[in-house]
Coordinates of all heavy atoms in Angstrom, one line a residue:
M1 N 173.5 154.5 101.7 CA 173.0 155.7 102.4 C 172.0 155.1 103.4 O 171.2 154.2 103.2 CB 172.3 156.6 101.4 CG 171.7 157.8 102.0 SD 171.1 159.0 100.8 CE 172.7 159.8 100.5
T2 N 172.1 155.7 104.6 CA 171.2 155.2 105.7 C 169.9 156.0 105.7 O 169.8 157.1 105.4 CB 171.9 155.4 107.0 OG1 172.2 156.8 107.2 CG2 173.2 154.6 107.1
S3 N 168.9 155.3 106.2 CA 167.6 155.9 106.2 C 167.4 156.7 107.5 O 168.2 156.5 108.5 CB 166.5 154.8 106.2 OG 166.5 154.1 107.4
S4 N 166.4 157.5 107.6 CA 166.2 158.3 108.8 C 165.9 157.4 110.0 O 166.2 157.7 111.1 CB 165.1 159.4 108.5 OG 163.9 158.7 108.2
Y5 N 165.2 156.3 109.7 CA 164.9 155.3 110.7 C 166.1 154.7 111.4 O 166.3 154.7 112.6 CB 164.0 154.2 110.2 CG 163.8 153.1 111.2 CD1 162.9 153.3 112.3 CD2 164.5 151.9 111.2 CE1 162.7 152.3 113.3 CE2 164.3 150.9 112.2 CZ 163.4 151.1 113.2 OH 163.2 150.2 114.1
E6 N 167.1 154.4 110.5 CA 168.4 153.8 111.0 C 169.1 154.9 111.8 O 169.7 154.6 112.8 CB 169.2 153.4 109.8 CG 168.7 152.1 109.2 CD 169.4 151.8 107.9 OE1 169.9 152.7 107.2 OE2 169.4 150.6 107.5
N7 N 169.1 156.1 111.3 CA 169.7 157.2 112.1 C 169.1 157.4 113.4 O 169.7 157.6 114.5 CB 169.7 158.5 111.3 CG 170.6 158.5 110.2 OD1 171.6 157.8 110.1 ND2 170.3 159.3 109.1
L8 N 167.7 157.4 113.5 CA 167.0 157.5 114.8 C 167.3 156.3 115.7 O 167.5 156.5 116.9 CB 165.5 157.6 114.5 CG 165.0 159.0 113.9 CD1 163.6 158.9 113.6 CD2 165.3 160.1 114.9
A9 N 167.3 155.1 115.1 CA 167.6 153.9 115.9 C 169.0 154.0 116.5 O 169.3 153.7 117.7 CB 167.5 152.7 115.1
F10 N 170.0 154.5 115.7 CA 171.4 154.6 116.2 C 171.4 155.7 117.2 O 172.1 155.5 118.3 CB 172.3 155.0 115.0 CG 173.7 155.3 115.4 CD1 174.6 154.3 115.8 CD2 174.1 156.6 115.5 CE1 175.8 154.6 116.2 CE2 175.4 156.9 115.9 CZ 176.3 155.9 116.3
Q11 N 170.8 156.8 117.0 CA 170.8 157.9 118.0 C 170.2 157.4 119.3 O 170.7 157.7 120.4 CB 170.0 159.1 117.5 CG 170.1 160.3 118.4 CD 171.5 160.9 118.5 OE1 172.1 161.0 117.5 NE2 171.9 161.3 119.6
R12 N 169.1 156.6 119.3 CA 168.5 156.0 120.5 C 169.4 155.1 121.2 O 169.5 155.2 122.4 CB 167.2 155.3 120.1 CG 166.4 154.9 121.3 CD 165.1 154.2 121.0 NE 164.3 154.8 119.9 CZ 164.1 154.2 118.7 NH1 164.5 152.9 118.5 NH2 163.4 154.8 117.8
K13 N 170.2 154.3 120.5 CA 171.1 153.4 121.1 C 172.2 154.2 121.8 O 172.7 153.9 122.9 CB 171.7 152.4 120.1 CG 170.7 151.4 119.6 CD 171.4 150.5 118.6 CE 170.4 149.5 118.1 NZ 170.9 148.6 117.0
V14 N 172.7 155.2 121.1 CA 173.8 156.1 121.7 C 173.3 156.7 123.0 O 173.9 156.8 124.0 CB 174.3 157.1 120.7 CG1 175.2 158.1 121.3 CG2 175.0 156.4 119.5
N15 N 172.1 157.3 122.9 CA 171.5 157.9 124.1 C 171.3 157.0 125.2 O 171.6 157.3 126.4 CB 170.2 158.6 123.7 CG 170.4 159.8 122.9 OD1 171.4 160.5 122.9 ND2 169.3 160.2 122.1
D16 N 170.8 155.7 124.9 CA 170.7 154.7 126.0 C 172.1 154.4 126.6 O 172.2 154.2 127.8 CB 170.1 153.4 125.4 CG 168.6 153.6 125.1 OD1 168.0 154.6 125.5 OD2 168.1 152.8 124.3
A17 N 173.1 154.3 125.7 CA 174.5 154.0 126.2 C 175.0 155.1 127.1 O 175.6 154.9 128.1 CB 175.4 153.8 125.0
L18 N 174.7 156.4 126.7 CA 175.1 157.5 127.4 C 174.5 157.5 128.8 O 175.1 157.9 129.8 CB 174.9 158.8 126.7 CG 175.8 159.1 125.5 CD1 175.3 160.3 124.7 CD2 177.2 159.3 125.9
T19 N 173.2 157.2 128.9 CA 172.5 157.1 130.1 C 173.1 156.1 131.0 O 173.2 156.3 132.2 CB 171.0 156.8 129.9 OG1 170.5 157.9 129.0 CG2 170.2 156.8 131.2
A20 N 173.4 154.9 130.4 CA 174.0 153.8 131.2 C 175.4 154.2 131.7 O 175.7 154.0 132.9 CB 174.1 152.6 130.3
V21 N 176.1 154.9 130.9 CA 177.5 155.4 131.4 C 177.3 156.4 132.5 O 178.1 156.3 133.5 CB 178.2 156.0 130.2 CG1 179.5 156.8 130.7 CG2 178.7 154.9 129.2
E22 N 176.4 157.3 132.4 CA 176.2 158.3 133.4 C 175.8 157.6 134.7 O 176.3 157.9 135.8 CB 175.1 159.2 133.0 CG 174.8 160.4 133.9 CD 173.8 161.3 133.4 OE1 173.5 161.3 132.2 OE2 173.3 162.1 134.2
R23 N 174.9 156.6 134.6 CA 174.5 155.8 135.8 C 175.6 155.1 136.4 O 175.8 155.1 137.6 CB 173.3 154.9 135.4 CG 172.4 154.5 136.5 CD 171.2 153.7 136.1 NE 170.7 154.1 134.8 CZ 170.5 153.3 133.7 NH1 171.0 152.0 133.8 NH2 170.0 153.7 132.6
I24 N 176.4 154.4 135.6 CA 177.5 153.6 136.1 C 178.6 154.4 136.7 O 179.1 154.1 137.8 CB 178.1 152.8 134.9 CG1 177.1 151.7 134.5 CG2 179.4 152.1 135.3 CD1 177.5 151.0 133.2
L25 N 179.0 155.5 136.1 CA 180.0 156.3 136.6 C 179.6 157.2 137.8 O 180.4 157.7 138.5 CB 180.6 157.2 135.5 CG 181.3 156.4 134.4 CD1 181.8 157.4 133.3 CD2 182.5 155.6 134.9
A26 N 178.3 157.4 137.8 CA 177.7 158.3 138.9 C 178.5 159.6 138.9 O 179.0 160.0 140.0 CB 177.7 157.6 140.2
I27 N 178.6 160.3 137.8 CA 179.3 161.6 137.7 C 178.3 162.7 137.7 O 177.2 162.6 137.3 CB 180.2 161.6 136.5 CG1 179.4 161.3 135.2 CG2 181.3 160.6 136.6 CD1 180.3 161.4 133.9
E28 N 178.8 163.9 138.0 CA 178.0 165.1 137.9 C 177.9 165.6 136.5 O 176.9 166.2 136.1 CB 178.6 166.2 138.8 CG 178.5 165.8 140.3 CD 179.1 166.9 141.2 OE1 179.4 168.0 140.7 OE2 179.3 166.6 142.4
K29 N 179.0 165.4 135.7 CA 178.9 165.9 134.3 C 178.1 164.9 133.5 O 178.2 163.7 133.7 CB 180.3 166.0 133.8 CG 181.2 167.0 134.4 CD 182.5 167.1 133.8 CE 183.4 168.2 134.6 NZ 184.7 168.2 134.0
K30 N 177.4 165.4 132.6 CA 176.6 164.5 131.7 C 177.4 164.3 130.4 O 177.7 165.2 129.6 CB 175.3 165.2 131.4 CG 174.3 164.3 130.6 CD 173.0 165.0 130.4 CE 172.2 164.1 129.5 NZ 170.8 164.6 129.3
P31 N 177.7 163.0 130.1 CA 178.4 162.7 128.8 C 177.4 163.0 127.6 O 176.2 162.8 127.7 CB 178.6 161.2 128.9 CG 177.8 160.7 129.9 CD 177.4 161.8 130.8
L32 N 178.0 163.6 126.6 CA 177.3 164.0 125.4 C 178.0 163.5 124.1 O 179.2 163.2 124.2 CB 177.1 165.5 125.3 CG 176.4 166.2 126.4 CD1 176.6 167.7 126.4 CD2 174.9 165.8 126.4
I33 N 177.3 163.4 123.0 CA 177.9 163.1 121.7 C 178.8 164.2 121.3 O 178.5 165.4 121.5 CB 176.8 162.9 120.7 CG1 176.0 161.7 121.1 CG2 177.4 162.7 119.3 CD1 174.8 161.4 120.2
A34 N 180.0 163.9 120.9 CA 181.1 164.9 120.6 C 180.6 166.0 119.6 O 180.9 167.2 119.8 CB 182.3 164.2 120.1
G35 N 179.8 165.6 118.7 CA 179.3 166.6 117.7 C 178.4 167.7 118.3 O 178.1 168.7 117.7
E36 N 177.8 167.4 119.4 CA 176.8 168.3 120.0 C 177.4 169.2 121.1 O 176.7 169.9 121.8 CB 175.7 167.4 120.7 CG 175.0 166.6 119.7 CD 173.9 165.7 120.3 OE1 173.8 165.7 121.5 OE2 173.2 165.0 119.5
V37 N 178.7 169.2 121.3 CA 179.4 169.9 122.3 C 180.4 171.0 121.7 O 181.1 170.7 120.8 CB 180.2 169.0 123.2 CG1 180.9 169.7 124.3 CG2 179.3 167.9 123.8
E38 N 180.3 172.2 122.3 CA 181.3 173.2 121.9 C 182.7 172.7 122.3 O 182.8 172.2 123.4 CB 180.9 174.6 122.5 CG 179.7 175.2 122.0 CD 179.8 175.6 120.5 OE1 180.9 176.1 120.1 OE2 178.8 175.5 119.8
H39 N 183.6 172.9 121.4 CA 185.0 172.4 121.8 C 186.0 173.3 121.1 O 185.7 174.0 120.1 CB 185.1 171.0 121.4 CG 184.9 170.7 119.9 ND1 183.7 170.5 119.4 CD2 185.8 170.6 118.9 CE1 183.8 170.4 118.1 NE2 185.0 170.4 117.8
T40 N 187.2 173.2 121.6 CA 188.4 173.8 121.0 C 188.9 173.0 119.8 O 188.6 171.8 119.6 CB 189.5 174.1 122.0 OG1 190.0 172.8 122.4 CG2 189.0 174.9 123.2
Y41 N 189.8 173.6 119.0 CA 190.3 172.9 117.8 C 191.1 171.7 118.2 O 190.9 170.6 117.6 CB 191.2 173.9 117.1 CG 191.8 173.3 115.8 CD1 191.1 173.1 114.7 CD2 193.1 172.8 115.8 CE1 191.6 172.6 113.5 CE2 193.7 172.3 114.7 CZ 192.9 172.2 113.5 OH 193.4 171.6 112.4
G42 N 191.9 171.8 119.3 CA 192.6 170.6 119.7 C 191.9 169.5 120.4 O 192.3 168.4 120.5
A43 N 190.6 169.9 120.9 CA 189.9 168.8 121.6 C 189.5 167.6 120.8 O 189.5 166.5 121.3 CB 188.6 169.5 122.2
K44 N 189.3 167.8 119.5 CA 189.0 166.7 118.7 C 190.1 165.7 118.5 O 189.9 164.5 118.5 CB 188.5 167.1 117.3 CG 189.5 167.9 116.4 CD 188.8 168.3 115.1 CE 189.8 169.3 114.4 NZ 189.1 169.8 113.2
Y45 N 191.3 166.2 118.6 CA 192.5 165.3 118.5 C 192.7 164.6 119.9 O 193.1 163.4 119.9 CB 193.8 166.1 118.2 CG 193.7 166.7 116.8 CD1 193.5 168.1 116.6 CD2 193.8 165.9 115.7 CE1 193.4 168.6 115.4 CE2 193.7 166.4 114.4 CZ 193.5 167.8 114.3 OH 193.4 168.3 113.0
E46 N 192.4 165.2 121.0 CA 192.4 164.6 122.3 C 191.3 163.5 122.3 O 191.6 162.4 122.8 CB 192.1 165.6 123.4 CG 193.2 166.6 123.5 CD 192.9 167.7 124.5 OE1 191.9 167.6 125.3 OE2 193.6 168.8 124.5
L47 N 190.2 163.7 121.8 CA 189.1 162.7 121.7 C 189.5 161.6 120.9 O 189.4 160.4 121.3 CB 187.8 163.3 121.1 CG 186.7 162.4 121.0 CD1 186.2 161.8 122.3 CD2 185.5 163.1 120.3
V48 N 190.1 161.8 119.7 CA 190.6 160.7 118.9 C 191.7 159.9 119.5 O 191.7 158.7 119.5 CB 191.0 161.2 117.5 CG1 191.8 160.2 116.7 CG2 189.9 161.8 116.7
N49 N 192.6 160.6 120.2 CA 193.6 159.9 121.0 C 193.0 159.0 122.0 O 193.4 157.8 122.2 CB 194.6 160.9 121.6 CG 195.8 160.3 122.2 OD1 196.3 159.3 121.7 ND2 196.2 160.8 123.3
S50 N 192.1 159.5 122.8 CA 191.5 158.7 123.9 C 190.7 157.5 123.3 O 190.9 156.4 123.8 CB 190.5 159.6 124.7 OG 191.2 160.6 125.3
V51 N 189.9 157.7 122.3 CA 189.1 156.6 121.7 C 190.1 155.6 121.1 O 189.8 154.4 121.2 CB 188.1 157.2 120.7 CG1 187.5 156.1 119.9 CG2 187.1 158.0 121.4
S52 N 191.1 156.1 120.4 CA 192.1 155.1 119.8 C 192.8 154.3 120.9 O 193.0 153.1 120.7 CB 193.2 155.8 119.0 OG 192.6 156.6 118.0
N53 N 193.1 154.9 122.0 CA 193.7 154.1 123.2 C 192.8 153.1 123.7 O 193.2 152.0 124.0 CB 194.2 155.1 124.2 CG 195.5 155.9 123.8 OD1 196.2 155.4 123.0 ND2 195.7 157.0 124.5
V54 N 191.5 153.5 123.8 CA 190.5 152.5 124.3 C 190.4 151.4 123.3 O 190.3 150.2 123.7 CB 189.1 153.2 124.5 CG1 188.1 152.2 124.7 CG2 189.2 154.2 125.7
A55 N 190.4 151.6 122.0 CA 190.3 150.6 121.0 C 191.5 149.6 121.1 O 191.4 148.4 121.0 CB 190.2 151.2 119.6
I56 N 192.7 150.2 121.2 CA 193.9 149.4 121.3 C 193.9 148.5 122.6 O 194.2 147.3 122.5 CB 195.2 150.3 121.4 CG1 195.4 151.0 120.0 CG2 196.4 149.5 121.8 CD1 196.4 152.1 120.0
I57 N 193.5 149.1 123.7 CA 193.4 148.3 124.9 C 192.4 147.1 124.7 O 192.6 146.0 125.2 CB 193.0 149.2 126.1 CG1 194.2 150.1 126.4 CG2 192.6 148.4 127.3 CD1 193.8 151.2 127.4
A58 N 191.2 147.4 124.0 CA 190.2 146.4 123.8 C 190.8 145.3 122.9 O 190.6 144.1 123.2 CB 189.0 147.0 123.2
Y59 N 191.5 145.6 121.9 CA 192.2 144.6 121.0 C 193.2 143.8 121.8 O 193.3 142.6 121.7 CB 192.8 145.3 119.8 CG 191.9 145.6 118.7 CD1 191.8 146.9 118.3 CD2 191.1 144.6 118.1 CE1 190.9 147.2 117.3 CE2 190.3 144.9 117.1 CZ 190.1 146.2 116.7 OH 189.3 146.6 115.6
M60 N 194.0 144.5 122.6 CA 195.0 143.8 123.4 C 194.3 142.8 124.4 O 194.8 141.7 124.6 CB 195.9 144.8 124.2 CG 196.8 145.6 123.3 SD 197.9 144.6 122.3 CE 198.9 143.9 123.6
N61 N 193.2 143.2 125.0 CA 192.5 142.3 126.0 C 191.9 141.1 125.2 O 192.0 140.0 125.7 CB 191.4 143.1 126.6 CG 191.8 144.0 127.7 OD1 192.9 143.8 128.3 ND2 191.1 145.0 128.0
A62 N 191.4 141.3 124.0 CA 190.8 140.2 123.2 C 191.9 139.2 122.8 O 191.8 138.0 122.9 CB 190.1 140.8 122.0
L63 N 193.1 139.8 122.4 CA 194.2 138.9 122.0 C 194.7 138.1 123.2 O 195.1 137.0 123.1 CB 195.3 139.7 121.4 CG 195.0 140.3 120.0 CD1 196.1 141.3 119.6 CD2 194.9 139.2 119.0
E64 N 194.8 138.8 124.4 CA 195.2 138.1 125.6 C 194.3 136.9 125.9 O 194.8 135.9 126.4 CB 195.4 139.1 126.7 CG 196.0 138.6 127.9 CD 196.2 139.6 129.0 OE1 197.0 140.6 128.7 OE2 195.6 139.5 130.1
K65 N 193.0 137.1 125.7 CA 192.0 136.1 126.1 C 192.2 134.8 125.2 O 191.9 133.7 125.7 CB 190.6 136.6 125.9 CG 190.2 137.6 126.9 CD 190.0 137.0 128.3 CE 189.6 138.0 129.3 NZ 189.6 137.5 130.6
I66 N 192.8 135.0 124.0 CA 193.0 133.8 123.2 C 194.5 133.3 123.3 O 194.9 132.5 122.4 CB 192.6 134.1 121.7 CG1 193.4 135.2 121.1 CG2 191.1 134.3 121.6 CD1 193.2 135.4 119.6
G67 N 195.2 133.9 124.2 CA 196.6 133.4 124.5 C 197.7 134.2 123.9 O 198.9 133.8 124.1
L68 N 197.4 135.3 123.3 CA 198.5 136.1 122.8 C 198.8 137.2 123.8 O 198.4 138.4 123.6 CB 198.1 136.7 121.4 CG 198.0 135.8 120.3 CD1 197.4 136.5 119.1 CD2 199.3 135.2 119.9
D69 N 199.6 136.9 124.8 CA 199.9 137.9 125.8 C 201.0 138.8 125.3 O 201.5 138.7 124.2 CB 200.2 137.2 127.1 CG 201.4 136.2 127.0 OD1 202.0 136.2 126.0 OD2 201.7 135.6 128.0
A70 N 201.4 139.7 126.2 CA 202.5 140.7 125.8 C 203.8 140.0 125.4 O 204.4 140.4 124.4 CB 202.7 141.7 127.0
D71 N 204.2 139.0 126.1 CA 205.4 138.3 125.7 C 205.4 137.7 124.3 O 206.4 137.8 123.6 CB 205.7 137.1 126.7 CG 206.0 137.7 128.1 OD1 206.4 138.8 128.3 OD2 205.7 136.9 129.1
V72 N 204.3 137.1 123.9 CA 204.1 136.6 122.6 C 204.2 137.7 121.5 O 204.8 137.6 120.5 CB 202.8 135.8 122.5 CG1 202.6 135.3 121.0 CG2 202.9 134.5 123.4
L73 N 203.4 138.8 121.8 CA 203.4 139.9 120.9 C 204.7 140.6 120.7 O 205.1 141.0 119.6 CB 202.3 140.9 121.3 CG 200.9 140.3 121.2 CD1 199.9 141.4 121.8 CD2 200.5 140.0 119.8
I74 N 205.5 140.7 121.8 CA 206.8 141.3 121.7 C 207.7 140.4 120.9 O 208.6 141.0 120.1 CB 207.4 141.5 123.1 CG1 206.6 142.7 123.8 CG2 208.9 141.9 123.1 CD1 206.9 142.8 125.3
A75 N 207.5 139.1 121.0 CA 208.4 138.2 120.2 C 208.2 138.2 118.7 O 209.0 137.7 117.9 CB 208.3 136.8 120.8
I76 N 207.1 138.7 118.3 CA 206.8 138.8 116.8 C 207.7 139.7 116.1 O 208.0 140.8 116.6 CB 205.3 139.2 116.6 CG1 204.3 138.2 117.2 CG2 205.0 139.5 115.1 CD1 202.9 138.6 117.1
D77 N 208.3 139.3 115.0 CA 209.3 140.1 114.3 C 208.5 141.2 113.6 O 207.7 141.0 112.7 CB 209.9 139.2 113.2 CG 211.0 139.9 112.4 OD1 211.3 141.0 112.8 OD2 211.4 139.4 111.4
D78 N 208.9 142.5 114.0 CA 208.1 143.6 113.5 C 208.8 144.2 112.2 O 208.3 145.1 111.7 CB 208.0 144.7 114.6 CG 209.4 145.3 115.0 OD1 210.4 144.7 114.6 OD2 209.3 146.2 115.8
S79 N 209.8 143.5 111.7 CA 210.4 144.0 110.5 C 209.6 143.4 109.2 O 209.9 143.9 108.1 CB 211.9 143.6 110.4 OG 212.0 142.2 110.3
T80 N 208.8 142.5 109.4 CA 208.0 141.9 108.3 C 206.5 141.9 108.7 O 206.1 141.8 109.9 CB 208.4 140.5 108.0 OG1 208.2 139.7 109.1 CG2 209.9 140.4 107.6
P81 N 205.6 142.1 107.7 CA 204.2 142.0 108.0 C 203.8 140.7 108.6 O 204.4 139.6 108.3 CB 203.5 142.2 106.7 CG 204.5 142.8 105.8 CD 205.9 142.3 106.3
T82 N 202.9 140.7 109.6 CA 202.5 139.5 110.3 C 201.0 139.3 110.2 O 200.3 140.3 110.3 CB 202.9 139.5 111.8 OG1 204.3 139.7 111.9 CG2 202.5 138.3 112.5
T83 N 200.6 138.2 109.8 CA 199.1 137.9 109.7 C 198.8 136.8 110.8 O 199.5 135.8 110.9 CB 198.8 137.3 108.3 OG1 199.2 138.3 107.3 CG2 197.3 137.0 108.2
L84 N 197.7 137.1 111.4 CA 197.2 136.1 112.4 C 196.0 135.3 111.7 O 195.1 135.9 111.2 CB 196.6 136.8 113.7 CG 197.6 137.6 114.5 CD1 196.9 138.3 115.6 CD2 198.8 136.7 115.0
C85 N 196.2 134.0 111.8 CA 195.1 133.1 111.2 C 194.6 132.3 112.4 O 195.3 131.8 113.2 CB 195.7 132.2 110.2 SG 196.3 133.1 108.7
F86 N 193.2 132.2 112.4 CA 192.6 131.5 113.5 C 191.8 130.3 112.9 O 191.2 130.4 111.8 CB 191.6 132.4 114.3 CG 192.4 133.6 114.9 CD1 192.3 134.8 114.3 CD2 193.0 133.5 116.1 CE1 193.0 135.9 114.8 CE2 193.7 134.5 116.7 CZ 193.7 135.8 116.0
D87 N 191.9 129.2 113.6 CA 191.1 128.0 113.2 C 190.3 127.6 114.4 O 191.0 127.3 115.5 CB 192.0 127.0 112.7 CG 191.3 125.8 112.1 OD1 190.1 125.9 111.7 OD2 191.9 124.7 112.1
A88 N 189.1 127.4 114.3 CA 188.2 127.0 115.4 C 187.4 125.8 115.0 O 187.0 125.6 113.8 CB 187.3 128.1 115.9
S89 N 187.1 124.9 115.9 CA 186.3 123.8 115.7 C 185.5 123.5 116.9 O 185.8 123.9 118.0 CB 187.1 122.6 115.3 OG 188.0 122.2 116.3
T90 N 184.4 122.9 116.7 CA 183.5 122.5 117.8 C 183.1 121.0 117.7 O 183.1 120.5 116.6 CB 182.2 123.3 117.9 OG1 181.5 123.1 116.6 CG2 182.5 124.8 118.0
T91 N 182.9 120.4 118.8 CA 182.5 119.0 118.8 C 181.3 118.9 119.7 O 181.1 119.7 120.6 CB 183.6 118.1 119.3 OG1 183.9 118.4 120.6 CG2 184.8 118.1 118.4
C92 N 180.5 117.9 119.5 CA 179.3 117.6 120.3 C 179.5 116.2 120.8 O 179.8 115.3 120.1 CB 178.1 117.8 119.4 SG 176.6 117.6 120.3
K93 N 179.2 116.1 122.1 CA 179.4 114.8 122.8 C 178.1 114.4 123.5 O 177.6 115.3 124.3 CB 180.5 114.8 123.7 CG 180.8 113.5 124.4 CD 182.0 113.7 125.3 CE 182.2 112.5 126.3 NZ 183.3 112.7 127.3
F94 N 177.5 113.2 123.3 CA 176.3 112.8 124.0 C 176.6 112.5 125.4 O 177.5 111.6 125.6 CB 175.7 111.6 123.2 CG 174.4 111.1 123.9 CD1 173.3 111.8 123.7 CD2 174.5 109.9 124.6 CE1 172.1 111.3 124.3 CE2 173.3 109.4 125.2 CZ 172.1 110.2 125.1
L95 N 175.9 113.1 126.3 CA 176.2 112.8 127.7 C 175.3 111.8 128.3 O 175.7 110.9 129.0 CB 176.1 114.1 128.5 CG 177.2 115.2 128.2 CD1 176.9 116.5 129.0 CD2 178.6 114.7 128.4
E96 N 174.0 112.0 128.1 CA 173.0 111.1 128.7 C 171.6 111.3 128.1 O 171.4 112.4 127.5 CB 172.9 111.2 130.2 CG 172.3 112.6 130.6 CD 172.2 112.7 132.2 OE1 173.3 112.9 132.8 OE2 171.0 112.6 132.7
K97 N 170.8 110.3 128.2 CA 169.4 110.4 127.6 C 168.5 110.5 128.8 O 168.6 109.7 129.7 CB 169.1 109.2 126.8 CG 167.7 109.2 126.2 CD 167.5 108.0 125.4 CE 166.1 108.0 124.8 NZ 165.8 106.8 123.9
K98 N 167.6 111.5 128.8 CA 166.7 111.7 129.9 C 165.3 111.4 129.3 O 164.9 111.9 128.2 CB 166.7 113.1 130.4 CG 168.0 113.4 131.2 CD 167.9 114.8 131.8 CE 169.2 115.1 132.6 NZ 169.1 116.4 133.2
V99 N 164.5 110.6 130.0 CA 163.2 110.3 129.5 C 162.2 111.0 130.3 O 162.2 111.3 131.5 CB 163.0 108.8 129.7 CG1 161.6 108.4 129.2 CG2 164.1 108.0 129.0

């Protein structure tokens, strides 16, 4: 269960993000939290569809950045479950000593 402080902190972050979006887009309409806006029954499904599409695009962009472009993803056999495993390593190399 979240505390009221966490809820207020979250609300503040959302409001800051909405202010930034409004500034960036320079639009006349003011973006609001979905729960605070009167809407029709079908509007919530449109919102979920839009947000889901944004999430899918974000995932696709992230996968593309690590080398999994559309051609690779299309080549994956979709008749069986596929798991992506990642292995990362870092190395440190001494360049020079400064006195």
Side-chain angles (χ1 to χ4, degrees):
M1 181 168 280
T2 59
S3 69
S4 60
Y5 174 77
E6 290 170 333
N7 287 335
L8 288 173
F10 175 76
Q11 187 67 39
R12 189 177 318 115
K13 288 178 184 178
V14 170
N15 288 337
D16 291 346
L18 288 173
T19 302
V21 166
E22 185 177 343
R23 204 174 321 119
I24 291 168
L25 297 177
I27 56 175
E28 292 179 10
K29 295 181 182 178
K30 183 176 180 178
L32 299 170
I33 296 173
E36 298 175 356
V37 179
E38 291 292 325
H39 59 277
T40 62
Y41 181 77
K44 61 183 169 186
Y45 296 105
E46 293 172 15
L47 176 63
V48 169
N49 185 40
S50 296
V51 171
S52 297
N53 286 337
V54 168
I56 290 169
I57 291 168
Y59 280 119
M60 293 300 295
N61 285 336
L63 291 172
E64 188 174 297
K65 290 290 183 188
I66 61 172
L68 293 172
D69 59 6
D71 295 332
V72 173
L73 294 173
I74 290 171
I76 294 174
D77 181 12
D78 63 355
S79 65
T80 59
T82 303
T83 303
L84 299 176
C85 296
F86 301 98
D87 185 23
S89 63
T90 59
T91 59
C92 186
K93 181 178 168 185
F94 180 74
L95 296 176
E96 66 181 74
K97 181 178 180 179
K98 292 186 179 182
V99 181

